[in-house]
Amino acid sequence: AYAAAGVSCVAIGTPLVGDKVEIVGKSGEVEYTEKMTVLRDCWESTSFALEELQANPDCVAQEKASMATRKTPYIHAVIPAPQPQWDIGPSAPKVAVMREEGSNGDREMCSSFRLAGFQPW
């Protein structure tokens, strides 16, 4: 669909079910495999080390221990699309704004792109 619209696109990943991350090299072979939870704990270790210096260490240890049993809640919400304040037209460039779990700012980013004349999705 991207090529038909004249947009270059390179797939950089696909979601996997379960506690697994695989990195496939240019050869098409899996070059790295690790549990997602191991990688997450490595990523979070710096945040926890800083937090131990700023907060009650017992609370930090409790939060760190809870990471092993956390589950992503199923959330189903119907959010009505806001009515645009101006028509930017179908020829405006389209841009995708991705939101990672635990992050925010996607709505602000969409608003900024819209103000700049893009069609944010």
Side-chain angles (χ1 to χ4, degrees):
Y2 293 107
V7 176
S8 62
C9 181
V10 176
I12 60 169
T14 57
L16 296 174
V17 175
D19 186 18
K20 182 168 134 180
V21 172
E22 289 183 344
I23 297 178
V24 178
K26 291 181 181 180
S27 67
E29 299 295 319
V30 174
E31 295 185 8
Y32 182 81
T33 302
E34 185 57 88
K35 293 176 99 178
M36 182 279 301
T37 49
V38 170
L39 296 173
R40 181 203 58 211
D41 291 346
C42 182
W43 176 265
E44 293 288 342
S45 65
T46 303
S47 295
F48 282 124
L50 289 171
E51 200 172 346
E52 285 174 344
L53 299 172
Q54 301 170 345
N56 181 332
D58 293 335
C59 293
V60 176
Q62 184 179 13
E63 181 183 356
K64 187 175 181 180
S66 75
M67 295 274 294
T69 58
R70 286 188 192 168
K71 301 280 188 241
T72 302
Y74 175 77
I75 298 173
H76 176 75
V78 177
I79 301 171
Q83 295 299 314
Q85 296 181 10
W86 69 92
D87 183 16
I88 56 175
S91 63
K94 295 178 181 174
V95 63
V97 176
M98 308 296 279
R99 180 187 182 274
E100 177 64 31
E101 179 185 341
S103 68
N104 57 24
D106 50 303
R107 289 184 183 173
E108 292 86 348
M109 184 68 71
C110 284
S111 294
S112 297
F113 274 115
R114 186 159 181 88
L115 286 170
F118 288 80
Q119 292 183 51
W121 295 89

